[in-house]
């Protein structure tokens, strides 16, 4: 492997780690990689996380798992995770583009200068990747437990009764929602497109829109 390829792979790993573990530094991450394909990196990061969701969904489908919470889409419970595995990649990417576009339109109305759509896409994509990563971890844990022979009833019992599994599940949910919101809010405030209060409001409302769009599918 050439030195150039090694450096490129190291840069990709650093980008991934910083995007997930340092959500409050996304604006700095954007500036660091702005001239080396930040938008492409974010696209692959989101697509990779969506594929990870597809894999664990397929595992749960193969194990006969079905959602323990009500579903919104008109998909049968028995085949829900099969359809989730099939739809999750385009669903997540379409949600990212839609929310970023809405946010850019609002920010353009509030800002004194033109807001870069590319920068909005990158910052929103980084924030959404943090959310998807932490939300995926309990999905991965569930898939592993099913592969080890856990039944649907045992999984429901673990999730319903106070204990290590329920506590861990709640922690991951709080981390997913909280870290994603923190990342997006911090990014918009640091971007200084508009006043801080307006930035927080736009971040909160657009993040809520993202949650609604994504959680329509993800179970």
């Amino acid at each position: 492997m050439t030195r150039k390829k090694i450096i490129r792979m190291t840069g990709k790993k650093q980008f991934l780690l910083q995007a997930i573990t340092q959500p409050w530094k996304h604006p700095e991450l954007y500036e660091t990689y702005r001239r080396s394909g930040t938008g492409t990196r974010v696209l692959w990061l989101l697509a990779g996380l969506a594929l990870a969701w597809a894999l664990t969904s397929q595992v749960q489908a193969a194990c006969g798992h079905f959602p323990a919470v009500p579903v919104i889409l008109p998909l049968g419970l028995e085949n829900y995770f099969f359809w989730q595995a099939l739809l999750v990649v385009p669903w997540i990417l379409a949600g990212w583009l839609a929310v970023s576009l809405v946010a850019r339109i609002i920010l353009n109305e509030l800002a004194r200068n033109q807001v870069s759509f590319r920068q909005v896409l990158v910052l929103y994509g980084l924030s959404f990747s943090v959310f998807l990563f932490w939300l995926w971890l309990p999905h991965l844990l569930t898939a592993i437990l099913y592969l080890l022979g856990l039944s649907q009833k045992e999984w429901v019992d673990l999730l319903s009764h106070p204990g290590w599994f329920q506590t861990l599940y709640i922690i991951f949910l709080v981390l997913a929602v909280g870290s994603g919101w923190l990342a997006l809010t911090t990014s918009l405030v640091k971007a200084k497109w508009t006043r801080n209060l307006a930035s927080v409001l736009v971040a909160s409302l657009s993040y809520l829109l993202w949650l609604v769009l994504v959680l329509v599918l993800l179970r």
Side-chain angles (χ1 to χ4, degrees):
M1 186 177 292
T2 65
R3 177 181 174 84
K4 191 174 182 180
K5 287 184 178 179
I6 293 173
I7 293 174
R8 193 174 299 168
M9 287 180 63
T10 303
K12 289 179 180 178
K13 289 180 180 178
Q14 284 181 337
F15 183 86
L16 174 62
L17 288 174
Q18 289 177 322
I20 299 298
T21 62
Q22 299 178 339
W24 58 90
K25 289 188 177 181
H26 285 170
E28 291 83 355
L29 192 63
Y30 168 77
E31 292 297 331
T32 301
Y33 292 92
R34 185 173 59 176
R35 299 184 183 281
S36 57
T38 316
T40 304
R41 289 172 187 265
V42 172
L43 173 62
W44 284 113
L45 175 57
L46 281 172
L49 288 168
L51 284 171
W53 269 93
L55 177 62
T56 49
S57 296
Q58 194 60 52
V59 169
Q60 294 195 46
C63 293
H65 189 198
F66 56 88
V69 295
V71 299
I72 299 172
L73 297 176
L75 302 173
L77 289 179
E78 296 80 6
N79 298 315
Y80 191 88
F81 284 107
F82 167 79
W83 288 109
Q84 180 170 287
L86 194 65
L87 296 173
V88 66
V89 175
W91 195 282
I92 283 174
L93 295 180
W96 167 47
L97 290 172
V99 175
S100 299
L101 180 59
V102 170
R104 197 249 184 165
I105 292 171
I106 296 172
L107 288 168
N108 258 348
E109 293 296 321
L110 297 174
R112 296 178 180 177
N113 301 314
Q114 187 80 359
V115 175
S116 166
F117 185 48
R118 179 173 175 271
Q119 188 174 359
V120 170
L121 271 176
V122 169
L123 295 179
Y124 271 75
L126 288 170
S127 302
F128 295 163
S129 68
V130 175
F131 167 80
L132 289 171
F133 173 77
W134 289 109
L135 193 66
W136 173 71
L137 289 182
H139 208 251
L140 171 64
L141 178 60
T142 300
I144 292 172
L145 290 175
Y146 265 82
L147 286 174
L148 294 175
L150 192 76
S151 68
Q152 176 83 31
K153 183 181 182 303
E154 289 172 325
W155 182 84
V156 171
D157 289 340
L158 276 175
L159 191 61
S160 302
H161 298 97
W164 70 271
F165 187 78
Q166 186 190 77
T167 301
L168 194 61
Y169 210 94
I170 293 173
I171 288 173
F172 282 138
L173 289 178
V174 171
L175 275 173
V177 176
S179 58
W181 176 82
L182 172 66
L184 187 55
T185 303
T186 303
S187 294
L188 294 196
V189 168
K190 286 185 176 181
K192 298 185 183 301
W193 286 315
T194 184
R195 291 171 296 178
N196 288 350
L197 182 59
S199 295
V200 172
L201 185 60
V202 172
S204 299
L205 291 176
S206 56
Y207 190 66
L208 180 60
L209 175 60
W210 161 256
L211 291 181
V212 171
L213 288 176
V214 170
L215 296 180
V216 164
L217 175 67
L218 297 185
R219 291 292 183 272

